[in-house]
Amino acid sequence: MTFEAVIFDCDGVLVDSEALGLSESAAYLRSRGLDWSEAALVREFTGLRDDVFAERLSAAYADANDGAAPPADFFEGLVAARRRRKDDLTPVAGAEEAIRAAPGAIAVASSSRGVFLESKLRRTGLYDLLAPHIYSAERVAHGKPAPDIFLYAADRLGVAPGRCVVLEDSENGVVAGRAAGMTVWGFTGGGHCFDGHGDRLSAAGAQWVAPDFAAVTARFAAR
């Protein structure tokens, strides 16, 4: 199939943000009774919008703490732990070349809040390559793994969902893209992708898994 649009996830695909603060976040959660490794955090929570993330994490906290709700400062402390390395943000290697090589229209469909999404893309020099089609899941009713943000992006591009290919690093994002009726390529070029990550993306429904952007760019050229 010749695709008419490429829709990129942002975190862990275009910018290497998922790896930043990962060990700090895991340590913070372990100190509060949630004995999770960095790999477990990636597996369970990558790709989720803030509200979905908070709902799932609250349920996990209750399970680990005899049904108790998280304390009032729980999420504030987690955000602080995660943002300690925010100034170390870099684009994922090869992202700019892949964006320039993408066939047809391009968009970003991310679970990040709009203000953070724009900031990350500007700080890594990618914003102008992608604007104006940069969309936060704040714009839609349901975050990933629901398909809403991908359908929203396709609508704004004026491209039928079945003519779009999505590039995603998370199982939640893969499920969302498939639910939108799009072709989904998994991506494991981010620093947060542990052993077995690609297999989980395939199991979630990714038709192909790219190890890096060199492979993506070559695939674009082959089409």
Side-chain angles (χ1 to χ4, degrees):
M1 177 183 290
T2 300
F3 301 114
E4 296 178 13
V6 179
I7 303 177
F8 295 91
D9 178 44
C10 179
D11 295 288
V13 175
L14 296 175
V15 302
D16 213 3
S17 53
E18 296 290 4
L20 294 183
L22 187 57
S23 61
E24 291 85 353
S25 297
Y28 174 87
L29 292 171
R30 284 195 295 270
S31 73
R32 282 148 181 83
L34 297 168
D35 190 18
W36 290 333
S37 65
E38 288 88 343
L41 281 181
V42 169
R43 185 172 59 252
E44 296 297 329
F45 298 108
T46 301
L48 298 177
R49 196 171 65 178
D50 285 356
D51 58 336
V52 183
F53 171 78
E55 180 181 335
R56 292 192 183 182
L57 189 54
S58 294
Y61 184 93
D63 287 343
N65 291 277
D66 297 322
D73 62 350
F74 178 75
F75 288 102
E76 181 180 340
L78 179 58
V79 169
R82 187 170 180 83
R83 288 178 60 80
R84 285 175 193 155
R85 294 185 56 205
K86 65 182 179 64
D87 293 335
D88 296 336
L89 183 67
T90 61
V92 172
E96 179 176 344
E97 293 78 5
I99 292 167
R100 294 187 185 277
I106 55 174
V108 176
S110 172
S111 294
S112 283
R113 282 183 277 174
V115 62
F116 296 137
L117 176 58
E118 179 174 343
S119 173
K120 284 181 278 195
L121 292 173
R122 287 193 182 279
R123 284 188 285 139
T124 53
L126 301 177
Y127 182 86
D128 290 341
L129 295 174
L130 296 156
H133 295 293
I134 299 171
Y135 302 119
S136 163
E138 286 181 324
R139 294 171 177 250
V140 296
H142 305 289
K144 302 173 187 177
D148 302 30
I149 187 57
F150 289 125
L151 294 173
Y152 182 94
D155 180 69
R156 293 303 180 274
L157 292 172
V159 176
R163 307 297 290 183
C164 298
V165 59
V166 167
L167 202 63
E168 263 287 355
D169 68 305
S170 74
E171 293 168 77
N172 291 304
V174 171
V175 170
R178 290 301 304 271
M182 300 177 180
T183 296
V184 182
W185 292 350
F187 183 78
T188 60
H192 65 298
C193 296
F194 296 93
D195 290 345
H197 195 95
D199 292 338
R200 288 191 293 274
L201 297 181
S202 294
Q207 286 96 323
W208 174 63
V209 178
D212 52 36
F213 268 124
V216 173
T217 300
R219 189 120 173 172
F220 285 159
R223 304 191 80 84

